[in-house]
Amino acid sequence: KAGVTQTPRYLIKTRGQQVTLSCSPISGHRSVSWYQQTPGQGLQFLFEYFSETQRNKGNFPGRFSGRQFSNSRSEMNVSTLELGDSALYLCASSWTGSDQPQHFGDGTRLSIL
Amino acid sequence: AQSVTQLGSHVSVSEGALVLLRCNYSSSVPPYLFWYVQYPNQGLQLLLKYTTGATLVKGINGFEAEFKKSETSFHLTKPSAHMSDAAEYFCAVHTNDYKLSFGAGTTVTVRA
């Protein structure tokens, strides 16, 4: 069965722009989580969605937002990009939440110039 | 709040030698614990998990980990390292708030 698919794999933007990243979970998985990975801060939780509802949000500014659609696909949006937003953004899915093994996509590498 | 500490950001082992990666957690409630591995330019892959029950957990690729509540530890071991074990390893804890908290990661290099 297909794994978690994240698109695009690589993205280059400039400061001030906005970006939308997409995540398609494994079929049947209803929980989708997003993480930011940087060399300095490591893996940090952004948010988690289940059945179109955000159940938790990490300590990120309001420029970071997300949503989940009825088919469980999820998007995250970052507005007014800053240099510090350069990171690998990872999406993970599971049946019902993070108490279960998370299946990660290969991530979107976002570079801000 | 829960947190995870991984001791040692880099570990170097010889091929065939024991791999030992240390993880300590803090949690006010019984945790679920996980070890993930990340290869270059890839996402994270689950190695093993502890939820309840047997404290010695076996995972994929010959890895295992032991949950020790008294020491708040969940160390990862593999008896004999292989070149393909070179990667970054993350310990993670889940409690009741729909997120994983990760350690800073340990990079393993394997010497021929």
Side-chain angles (χ1 to χ4, degrees), chain B residues 47-102:
Chain B
L47 283 175
L48 48 79
K49 63 175 181 176
Y50 170 79
T51 53
T52 58
T55 57
L56 183 61
V57 180
K58 294 187 184 299
I60 63 171
N61 301 340
F63 285 94
E64 63 181 37
E66 186 171 11
F67 171 65
K68 292 187 176 181
K69 184 177 179 181
S70 61
E71 299 177 7
T72 60
S73 69
F74 191 55
H75 301 332
L76 180 72
T77 61
K78 181 174 180 177
S80 176
H82 190 271
M83 297 299 288
S84 61
D85 295 326
E88 189 163 18
Y89 293 78
F90 294 92
C91 182
V93 62
H94 158 85
T95 54
N96 295 324
D97 53 1
Y98 308 114
K99 73 175 186 181
L100 289 175
S101 295
F102 287 91

Side-chain angles (χ1 to χ4, degrees), chain A residues 76-112:
Chain A
M76 67 164 283
N77 183 276
V78 188
S79 62
T80 318
L81 287 165
E82 300 177 359
L83 292 177
D85 297 333
S86 294
L88 180 66
Y89 290 88
L90 291 166
C91 168
S93 76
S94 66
W95 293 106
T96 60
S98 59
D99 57 329
Q100 299 174 339
Q102 300 288 293
H103 297 263
F104 283 82
D106 286 337
T108 294
R109 173 78 59 186
L110 175 63
S111 299
I112 311 301

Side-chain angles (χ1 to χ4, degrees), chain B residues 1 24 26 28 32 68 70 73 86:
Chain B
N24 288 88
S26 65
S28 58
Y32 291 176
K68 292 187 176 181
S70 61
S73 69

